[in-house]
Amino acid sequence: VNVDLMGHPVDLRWNLDRPLPFALGTVDGIFHEHLLEHLPLQAGLEFLRSSYRLLRPGGVLRVVVPDAGAYLESYTSGGAGMIEQVRPGRPTDMLVVNELFYNYTHAAMYDEETLALFMKAVGFEDVKRREFGESRLQPCPDSDHRRPESLYVEAVK
């Protein structure tokens, strides 16, 4: 079931300011891609907590966010890596960092360590970084156009 406020295709149009309309402990898997960074940190933590409550025991959460850690590593390396590969041609590397953090209505950014910490804090286990297309959720729902700059983390309830 694709739950979204807009986009295509959407099975259930829903504003995430309201609790999702699913019974607690009944969902097999939850996937969200480039969503968490649009919520302030506390709201993101609450959304992960809500996801945990919806999942059945053994259910899987797959979270995809921009890889802020890789961008910052690239910044400290003079643009080598992520900045050169994904956002080349900017006048300065700091403009790339600002673009990532402040454009697109981003409210929080994550690296692997921080995202894993949040997932574990709400009760998830077996929290692991994954690669594009490598998922317990099949078919894997990753969007190819987001692949170059994304961090993929999965966890189990």
Side-chain angles (χ1 to χ4, degrees):
V1 177
N2 184 17
V3 178
D4 207 335
L5 190 57
M6 61 183 107
H8 181 74
V10 175
D11 300 311
L12 174 62
R13 293 196 187 285
W14 198 263
N15 184 335
L16 292 177
D17 286 336
R18 302 180 321 192
L20 288 166
F22 303 106
L24 300 181
T26 62
V27 176
D28 292 326
I30 296 175
F31 168 77
H32 50 88
E33 182 179 61
H34 287 250
L35 164 69
L36 202 60
E37 69 274 12
H38 295 277
L39 305 174
L41 283 174
Q42 186 61 40
L45 186 63
E46 290 303 317
F47 189 70
L48 292 172
R49 187 171 282 120
S50 174
S51 296
Y52 183 84
R53 287 192 296 256
L54 289 174
L55 286 167
R56 65 164 175 75
V60 175
L61 172 66
R62 183 173 181 84
V63 178
V64 183
V65 293
D67 192 344
Y71 271 108
L72 294 175
E73 285 177 19
S74 180
Y75 172 79
T76 62
S77 299
M82 185 73 89
I83 291 173
E84 287 177 354
Q85 294 168 11
V86 180
R87 296 177 188 258
R90 304 313 195 266
T92 71
D93 294 341
M94 182 53 72
L95 288 174
V96 173
V97 172
N98 275 282
E99 185 178 324
L100 177 69
F101 278 71
Y102 301 111
N103 287 6
Y104 320 110
T105 67
H106 289 168
M109 296 305 296
Y110 297 87
D111 61 2
E112 180 182 355
E113 179 183 24
T114 305
L115 183 53
L117 175 73
F118 275 36
M119 293 169 94
K120 290 174 185 175
V122 300
F124 283 102
E125 298 176 1
D126 196 22
V127 178
K128 291 185 181 172
R129 182 180 189 135
R130 301 286 188 167
E131 296 301 320
F132 173 85
E134 175 194 4
S135 177
R136 290 182 175 112
L137 302 176
Q138 291 299 321
C140 182
D142 296 343
S143 296
D144 192 55
H145 73 281
R146 299 211 184 262
R147 181 180 191 170
E149 66 178 344
S150 292
L151 168 65
Y152 303 87
V153 178
E154 276 189 7
V156 177
K157 177 174 181 180

